[in-house]
Structure formats: structure tokens, C-alpha cells
Amino acid sequence: MTAQPNSSRLPALDAAAQQHSDTLLAHIQQQVQQQGGWISFADYMQMALYTPHLGYYSGEANKFGRGGDFVTAPEISPLFSQALANQVAQVLQTTAGHVLELGAGTGKLAAGLLLRLAELEQIPQHYYILEVSANLRHRQQEYLQGILPVALYSRLQWLDTLPETLTGVVVGNEVLDAIPVHVVEWRAGQWLERGIGFDQQLVWQTQLLQDLSLVAAIDTLPLPDGYVTEVCPAAQGLIASLATMLTRGLILMPDYGFAASEYYHPQRAQGTLMCHYQHYAHDDPLIYPGLQDITAHVDFTAMAETALANGLDCAGYTNQAQFLINCGILQLLQQVPPEESARYLPMVAAVQKLLSPAEMGELFKVLALSKGLALPLMGFLQGDKRHQL
């Protein structure tokens, strides 16, 4: 089975971008040949996003904000970070300790969290940032040094790997959706795996699924013939690693996705893979390798079950709108005088984007996983949806 990439409706590449993508394409082609002509989609996604200096997150192109390919919640409004900080502060007040952010993007979330935590007098001992991209790390350091007081910047520490232990709070904003996924297909009563081959260009190729453990959680579901979806054991591996690391505290995972009953609904027959290039969203991951983001929605049920199996508690699950309202985003907005319309009106529009069911309010969820915490978390006091997991 093959599919021809189609880039006709996307912005054209300039010469430098084309050369960058071609260099990564040659590397991927070599890996395909070395693996006998076929690699899993997870291996392809790993190379497309994370190959040193060439992958999407490892290269030098701007990825975030208006000049990038997509906009994340911390770029939409500083009130997102401030509301999230209210939840972080509640936990730090009980646990003390540190904050660990996984993949800090532009650094705006870190800045917003630290500034708000300082206002609340709940500054963490350290604010760790685990960042796999050297380019993004440099940009974060430059941005944060310019915006934070020295006393706050001195709390920052960049890491290459997870610390052995941590007490406090872990934040992974839109981290799980960028972890490589396997693409599987149910056809004629058996499971197939969709991977990547090379025939003048990258092409989809399907073969019999070799590792049936990949589909253990969905094997008994009544799926229609030809049903395509994603599974992400690497995301479950991350949750397991975080569970081992956390001695006491909270893990917060805001991201877009569904509980399993909705993720693997029979009508969601083409999966959830999505690509972003210069604010164009499309579903062809085979074009522009190294230049476009590739994501899949999160199966939050799998994340919660993995957490429970590794000694964590599922402390909350709700949509982003409910979480932010619970954490006081509307009260934070009210602190801006309405008569300052040049400042107030854009903030209202940004908050609407964060809260509206038609925008980010419903599709984005927040999953809270905890260890050694007995307190009711403010972000989930109303509208907790754990029963849906």
C-alpha cells in the first residue's frame, strides 16, 4: 500500500529549507535501506522530529508563535501560565521542592510560571528544564535571561536527562503529542502495521504487525475493517519513568486528546495524525521531513492506566477550559482594567481562544498524576472527568 505525498496546497520551500529537508530525507532513505526497505512509522517520526541538527525539533527554524508553525497556549496568553502557576503553587506549598518542565518551547511558560510563583511566594528550589534541542535550549536561555530578575533566573537549570529523584511538580505542556507513535490497521481479521518505504520518494507500506503487544489494549474493541489508528508505547514509557523519578508531588500534562472510548471510536477510522507547517494543518507526514511538526492526539486512558500501574494516583482529568477556570483565569483577567481597551480586549480574545469549546477549551485536556498528595487539587474541584477514563 502506498500513498503519494501532496505538497501543492502548502507554502513553497526556499532553497535553504529544501536543502535542509533533502539532507534529512537522504538520512532517512539510508536508514530505510539498512532496515531492509521498511521502517515503522514511529522510527520515521523519531528521525523527522529529533535527528540531531536536522529533525524538526532539533533544527534552527522558528517553530512557535506567529512566525512559526503553530501557537501553544503560553504564547496565546500569559494568563495560561499564571493560572497554571496557581495550581503549581498549591502543590509546592505542601511539598516544597522543585519544578521540572519537559520541553520548554520558547520559554514563555517557564517565565510566566516563575513570575507568578514569585508573586505567590512559592518559588521552587530549582526550576529544571529538560530540553532535547540544543537550539531551543539556547533560545530559552536568551529569552529567560532577558525577562526574569536575576534571583529567578538563578533557579533555572537545564537538563539532558530526567533527574533520578524529584519532589515537587512536573509540567509537560504539549509533550505527549510529539512522542513518536506506531500506526496500526485492522484489516481482514488481523493487525497490520503501517510503516515507511522508499520508492523515488517516501511511501507508506503496510506489513503484518510483528509485536502484538502494541495493540493489547485495543485488540478486543469492535473496530471496522480498514480501521487505522495510533498507539504510543513511548509515551507510556515516559509516564513510567516519571513515576519512578517522583518521590512526592504532581505531574501535570496539558495536551490535546481523548479518553480511550473516544480515541478508538469506530467512526474515528483514519486515526489522529496531524502535521503543521507555517500554520497550515494537514495530514501528510511524508512531505517536508524536518520542516513540519508531526503529532498524534493523546490516549489519556493509556496514560492514566500506566500511571496507576507504576505507583501514581490519577488525581484529576478535565478539559482545559474547566481547569483554567478552576485555577482562576477569569479572576486574573479581571485584574486588567476594562477601560484600558488596547490591553484588555486582546486579552479577552486570547482567553476566549483558551476556553472556547470550538477552539482549545474542549479538545485540550489536563491530566494530573500524583504521589503522596492528599489535598484536593484546585484545578479539578469542578468538572473532574476521571470517570470517563
Side-chain angles (χ1 to χ4, degrees):
M1 178 179 180
T2 63
Q4 301 301 321
N6 177 19
S7 59
S8 59
R9 55 194 177 91
L10 297 178
L13 303 184
D14 61 29
Q18 186 70 62
Q19 183 177 5
H20 180 104
S21 187
D22 288 346
T23 303
L24 179 56
L25 182 61
H27 171 70
I28 295 170
Q29 179 185 1
Q30 183 182 37
Q31 296 302 309
V32 171
Q33 290 171 340
Q34 289 179 358
Q35 297 298 319
W38 186 93
I39 58 173
S40 70
F41 182 78
D43 286 342
Y44 168 74
M45 187 171 168
Q46 176 70 34
M47 286 188 280
L49 296 182
Y50 299 109
T51 298
H53 309 296
L54 294 173
Y56 180 75
Y57 285 108
S58 305
E60 297 185 2
N62 181 31
K63 302 152 185 69
F64 305 95
R66 292 181 180 177
D69 299 305
F70 54 89
V71 180
T72 61
E75 277 102 39
I76 290 172
S77 172
L79 298 185
F80 175 86
S81 303
Q82 293 172 30
L84 187 63
N86 288 343
Q87 176 63 89
V88 173
Q90 183 196 16
V91 177
L92 288 179
Q93 191 169 15
T94 301
T95 64
H98 316 278
V99 172
L100 166 63
E101 184 179 354
L102 308 175
T106 61
K108 285 193 175 180
L109 179 58
L113 283 176
L114 278 168
L115 290 168
R116 178 63 177 167
L117 290 172
E119 289 178 13
L120 298 171
E121 299 183 350
Q122 291 297 330
I123 301 173
Q125 294 178 36
H126 291 96
Y127 191 107
Y128 297 116
I129 294 176
L130 178 60
E131 181 55 70
V132 299
S133 166
N135 177 260
L136 283 177
R137 179 183 295 206
H138 174 73
R139 293 187 185 197
Q140 291 156 12
Q141 291 169 341
E142 200 171 59
Y143 171 74
L144 290 167
Q145 197 162 16
I147 200 169
L148 292 177
V150 174
L152 288 182
Y153 186 81
S154 66
R155 304 292 176 113
L156 287 162
Q157 186 174 334
W158 277 262
L159 305 176
D160 296 313
T161 58
L162 289 176
E164 288 189 17
T165 62
L166 184 109
T167 297
V169 182
V170 180
V171 178
N173 184 54
E174 292 194 51
V175 169
L176 295 174
D177 66 79
I179 296 178
V181 296
H182 291 262
V183 179
V184 295
E185 180 178 355
W186 176 251
R187 184 173 294 279
Q190 60 184 0
W191 283 106
L192 309 174
E193 181 167 12
R194 302 189 75 198
I196 306 300
F198 196 88
D199 181 10
Q200 309 303 314
Q201 59 187 354
L202 294 172
V203 293
W204 287 102
Q205 289 185 349
T206 301
Q207 65 177 29
L208 194 65
L209 178 63
Q210 302 298 313
D211 182 4
L212 290 176
S213 70
L214 287 174
V215 294
I218 59 174
D219 193 33
T220 59
L221 297 179
L223 301 175
D225 192 60
Y227 189 91
V228 176
T229 191
E230 308 88 28
V231 290
C232 193
Q236 293 172 270
L238 173 60
I239 297 296
S241 296
L242 294 175
T244 300
M245 174 198 72
L246 190 68
T247 54
R248 182 170 181 243
L250 182 68
I251 300 167
L252 282 172
M253 291 290 190
D255 220 316
Y256 48 90
F258 313 103
S261 59
E262 189 176 356
Y263 197 106
Y264 301 109
H265 193 282
Q267 292 181 345
R268 198 179 302 284
Q270 296 303 312
T272 70
L273 275 183
M274 187 58 61
C275 306
H276 296 91
Y277 178 71
Q278 294 186 9
H279 296 281
Y280 284 76
H282 66 98
D283 60 1
D284 188 350
L286 304 191
I287 60 172
Y288 297 178
L291 302 179
Q292 66 170 354
D293 191 23
I294 306 172
T295 71
H297 288 45
V298 178
D299 173 0
F300 282 108
T301 299
M303 300 305 106
E305 289 176 345
T306 300
L308 293 174
N310 286 275
L312 295 174
D313 296 315
C314 184
Y317 173 69
T318 192
N319 61 42
Q320 176 175 285
Q322 188 67 65
F323 175 81
L324 292 175
I325 290 169
N326 289 343
C327 289
I329 194 170
L330 297 180
Q331 289 78 10
L332 290 165
L333 178 62
Q334 287 170 2
Q335 293 175 12
V336 182
E339 56 269 19
E340 295 181 19
S341 57
R343 181 174 165 224
Y344 180 75
L345 294 177
M347 293 189 82
V348 170
V351 168
Q352 165 120 13
K353 188 174 180 68
L354 293 174
L355 300 184
S356 168
E359 297 275 358
M360 299 174 71
E362 177 59 39
L363 177 60
F364 280 71
K365 313 295 195 306
V366 183
L367 178 68
L369 308 170
S370 67
K371 184 183 287 186
L373 284 184
L375 73 164
L377 299 172
M378 68 166 62
F380 306 90
L381 291 177
Q382 301 290 327
D384 193 333
K385 301 179 185 293
R386 276 177 289 180
H387 61 280
Q388 294 182 359
L389 293 172

